[in-house]
Amino acid sequence: MTVQEVDGGTARADAHRADRAPQGDTPGSSRGGRHEFPGRRGRRLWLDVVIGVLLLVLVAVGALRWYDSTAYLVVVLQTAGPFVVVGLGLLAVATLVLRRWRMLIPVVVAFVVAATVAAPAFRATSSPKASRDLTVMSANTWIGSANAGQLMDAVRFHDVDVLVVTEATPAIMRRLDAEGASDYFTHREGIARASTFTGTMILSRYPLSVRNPGTDAAVEATQSVQPEVDVTAPEGTVRLKAAHPTAPLQGDTAQWRAGLSALQAWKEHLAGDQPVVMAGDFNASFGHPGFRDLAEGLDDAQRTDGQGWVRTWPFAGNRLPPFVQLDHLLSRRLTVVAAGQVAFNRADHAAVWASYHLPAR
């Protein structure tokens, strides 16, 4: 072997080793032979930023649930709780699919917290095998424009004993009577007012005794009539309070909050252990701290029945699909047997109903 051949072989070996040796930190390369291009790193950074911003927005909106305020925007956003849960769930899936592992943990934690808050609405504690001693329905008739025939069909189908009609007008009462309400319900109390949302009527198959006509706006903190009556059913007497606080429209949110506070004060001054039902359009959901304060210690029929995301508004005349429960049946010392909702034409709210088992005397 010649010196020239040895030198040639050595040169080839050195070149081979040089090819395999780690390269410097040049753009588009990394140690170990795995390439990271600046454009790809930039896209991943922007994905993290977008996910982080969406997470912060959803958490901020969800956190408003605990902020008792009459600011119009806050009151509106507090109805978006279900969308926060859905949004966080979708964000968790997107983060997983995009394999943004460092963002996945905070997203999943936020989703779990939101789902935990929402979970009680899906857990049923009603007693479907108990006897149905009293069925109550509340229907907002949209200043008397609702389809009276459909409402009476729902009353008969669910064997309703007491019907609370909010936004009652003389016209809707005449149409209900034409559909058989005067024969079906033999007792009624309240006031129907023309061309206004402030009228409220209570129709009943059982005798009614008025405790308070609910017409003093200074006490009720609303212009709507909120009668309080005793319903004497065969299995016992139930105290019933109609509810219709002012809607939280822009400029009216302070009055709306005052109406919820007035109903809460009424609840807290209840004496004795008589069964109680509060029924009506509360213009508030469980996303509002004021309504949760009012509902504390009471059973919401739809939540007790485990119906989850209940939506009673908006229906007719609105471009938005129904997304929030504003209509409620709250009770004390009554067993919820079953509950549901009924939508009907020319009304922007769905009616809510519940059947109750009364305690033994």
Side-chain angles (χ1 to χ4, degrees):
M1 180 180 296
T2 66
V3 174
Q4 187 176 20
E5 288 174 334
V6 173
D7 292 343
T10 301
R12 285 194 296 273
D14 290 342
H16 179 67
R17 284 194 295 270
D19 290 341
R20 297 182 61 185
Q23 301 298 310
D25 293 333
T26 58
S29 66
S30 64
R31 296 186 184 275
R34 184 174 178 178
H35 295 277
E36 278 287 341
F37 296 99
R40 181 177 296 178
R41 288 199 299 271
R43 285 194 296 272
R44 289 181 176 178
L45 177 61
W46 275 109
L47 280 176
D48 289 348
V49 170
V50 170
I51 292 171
V53 169
L54 290 175
L55 176 61
L56 288 174
V57 170
L58 289 170
V59 169
V61 173
L64 290 175
R65 172 185 177 87
W66 291 278
Y67 180 44
D68 195 355
S69 171
T70 56
Y72 177 70
L73 182 59
V74 173
V75 173
V76 171
L77 289 176
Q78 285 171 336
T79 66
F83 296 105
V84 171
V85 180
V86 173
L88 287 170
L90 293 175
L91 187 60
V93 172
T95 305
L96 182 63
V97 170
L98 294 170
R99 303 175 67 184
R100 304 312 303 140
W101 309 122
R102 61 180 166 183
M103 298 301 298
L104 185 60
I105 292 177
V107 171
V108 169
V109 168
F111 172 67
V112 170
V113 171
T116 301
V117 172
F122 294 85
R123 186 168 56 245
T125 57
S126 53
S127 301
K129 293 184 179 180
S131 61
R132 301 190 181 200
D133 299 330
L134 183 72
T135 298
V136 180
M137 176 179 282
S138 173
N140 182 314
T141 58
W142 207 16
I143 313 183
S145 65
N147 187 306
Q150 291 178 346
L151 178 53
M152 284 305 300
D153 286 344
V155 164
R156 294 187 182 95
F157 182 82
H158 294 290
D159 199 21
V160 172
D161 299 307
V162 179
L163 174 65
V164 177
V165 182
T166 55
E167 302 197 13
T169 64
I172 186 64
M173 300 310 299
R174 287 193 296 270
R175 296 202 306 276
L176 285 171
D177 287 343
E179 296 292 341
S182 57
D183 297 324
Y184 185 95
F185 295 110
T186 53
H187 305 272
R188 63 181 63 190
E189 296 291 346
I191 300 174
R193 293 173 173 169
S195 305
T196 177
F197 61 85
T198 62
T200 304
M201 292 292 299
I202 300 175
L203 283 62
S204 175
R205 299 163 81 173
Y206 303 130
L208 298 174
S209 299
V210 178
R211 282 177 171 266
N212 189 324
T215 55
D216 188 344
V219 173
E220 306 294 336
T222 176
Q223 296 300 314
S224 294
V225 180
Q226 296 187 145
E228 178 188 351
V229 301
D230 280 337
V231 182
T232 307
E235 290 76 15
T237 300
V238 176
R239 189 170 179 175
L240 185 144
K241 173 71 170 175
H244 193 205
T246 301
L249 302 177
Q250 196 159 12
D252 292 332
T253 52
Q255 183 69 26
W256 161 79
R257 186 64 181 85
L260 293 176
S261 296
L263 289 171
Q264 183 182 355
W266 176 87
K267 179 198 75 172
E268 292 175 350
H269 284 87
L270 287 174
D273 59 354
Q274 181 182 7
V276 172
V277 173
M278 300 178 72
D281 169 15
F282 289 77
N283 276 311
S285 74
F286 277 94
H288 297 114
F291 180 76
R292 291 200 305 277
D293 290 343
L294 169 60
E296 185 177 0
L298 305 176
D299 296 318
D300 180 275
Q302 274 63 30
R303 287 173 71 90
T304 302
D305 204 40
Q307 295 182 10
W309 186 5
V310 176
R311 289 152 288 177
T312 66
W313 183 88
F315 278 87
N318 291 274
R319 295 180 180 178
L320 291 174
F323 67 91
V324 64
Q325 181 183 4
L326 301 180
D327 304 80
H328 305 268
L329 296 166
L330 305 177
S331 63
R332 185 190 76 175
R333 294 203 70 245
L334 292 169
T335 300
V336 177
V337 180
Q341 302 77 241
V342 181
F344 40 93
N345 291 342
R346 298 196 297 277
D348 59 341
H349 289 248
V352 291
W353 63 270
S355 294
Y356 298 101
H357 174 71
L358 272 65
R361 298 190 187 189

